Amino acid sequence: TKLLMKKKLFKLTEQRKHELKLATVEYLRGLHSEINELEDALMAPGALSPRPRMSGMIILEPDSLVSEAHYLHTGLAILYTIDAKSGFMKIFYIWEERSIIVLYEEFREKLPNDDYFIMLIEDSELVSITNFCMDGIYEKHTSAYLLTQKIINEQTSRRMMQTDILLMESKSARLSAFEQKFPNLKGRLTWDQKCAFIGV
């Protein structure tokens, strides 16, 4: 009953869907201001799909095709694998709100995801787009390539922050480094998730 109530409360109104589409465009405009024509393509019917998703939902599994990218407006998501021997989780990336969730190469080339899970660990609002739709946008709008590069650069920079922590010899120092480098994650991860992210 509680789950049904939560689902009902988490349903998006048409107004909220429109707000989330606009928020997606504004996020992209913050990365690259000249996106007027691209904005029209993104706001066209059928391009962006706002979706509420509950905490614990897996939005990508191993051996599945990567057919969508997502703008995470609210919530938190993790990219992880499960070690076959130990059964422990290894977290490779954490997406905070106002970021793009994508495995870019697999998304663009329509390749299967071999190893990774992507799971939401907070109730989230996503705005999704398919690679089929993006093919048409890339074909017509060169600004889409500039935006993509900025998104990749942002992910690389964030990944390097985690790598810096993982390379620290003193495991006892990793927790304080994590809290310093990722202050917005304070209180949002379980102890096990924290350890899986910093290799403790």
Side-chain angles (χ1 to χ4, degrees), residues 1-178:
T1 305
K2 288 184 179 179
L3 184 60
L4 290 173
M5 287 176 64
K6 192 173 185 182
K7 283 184 177 179
K8 188 174 181 181
L9 288 170
F10 210 47
K11 187 176 181 181
L12 296 179
T13 63
E14 290 304 313
Q15 180 181 347
R16 185 58 180 164
K17 288 179 183 178
H18 184 67
E19 289 171 354
L20 289 173
K21 289 181 181 181
L22 290 175
T24 306
V25 171
E26 285 308 306
Y27 167 77
L28 295 173
R29 195 188 306 283
L31 297 179
H32 178 60
S33 58
E34 301 299 322
I35 64 164
N36 290 342
E37 290 183 7
L38 179 58
E39 177 180 351
D40 293 338
L42 291 171
M43 293 298 290
L48 296 177
S49 300
R51 297 167 178 166
R53 292 290 184 261
M54 288 189 293
S55 177
M57 182 174 184
I58 293 174
I59 61 174
L60 186 68
E61 295 182 355
D63 302 319
S64 60
L65 286 174
V66 180
S67 59
E68 290 185 320
H70 314 274
Y71 168 62
L72 180 65
H73 184 64
T74 59
L76 204 62
I78 58 174
L79 176 74
Y80 69 97
T81 61
I82 301 294
D83 185 86
K85 292 183 178 179
S86 67
F88 289 128
M89 175 188 286
K90 294 181 180 179
I91 297 179
F92 293 90
Y93 198 88
I94 300 176
W95 288 276
E96 295 180 38
E97 58 276 358
R98 293 170 176 76
S99 60
I100 301 293
I101 299 174
V102 66
L103 300 183
Y104 179 69
E105 184 178 355
E106 292 86 347
F107 176 73
R108 283 291 284 137
E109 301 298 329
K110 302 177 179 64
L111 297 172
N113 155 53
D114 293 329
D115 303 311
Y116 297 108
F117 294 86
I118 297 178
M119 181 171 69
L120 302 172
I121 56 173
E122 291 180 355
D123 291 345
S124 303
E125 290 175 306
L126 301 176
V127 183
S128 307
I129 192 166
T130 66
N131 46 16
F132 177 78
C133 184
M134 278 305 301
D135 284 346
I137 289 175
Y138 279 119
E139 196 174 303
K140 296 177 182 177
H141 304 283
T142 55
S143 59
Y145 289 98
L146 295 171
L147 284 169
T148 297
Q149 192 56 56
K150 287 181 179 291
I151 290 165
I152 292 172
N153 291 346
E154 199 172 82
Q155 289 188 347
T156 301
S157 175
R158 190 173 173 85
R159 175 64 177 147
M160 288 302 296
M161 288 165 61
Q162 181 191 10
T163 301
D164 287 343
I165 297 173
L166 292 171
L167 290 175
M168 296 175 71
E169 289 188 18
S170 171
K171 291 190 176 182
S172 61
R174 292 183 189 180
L175 181 60
S176 59
F178 163 78

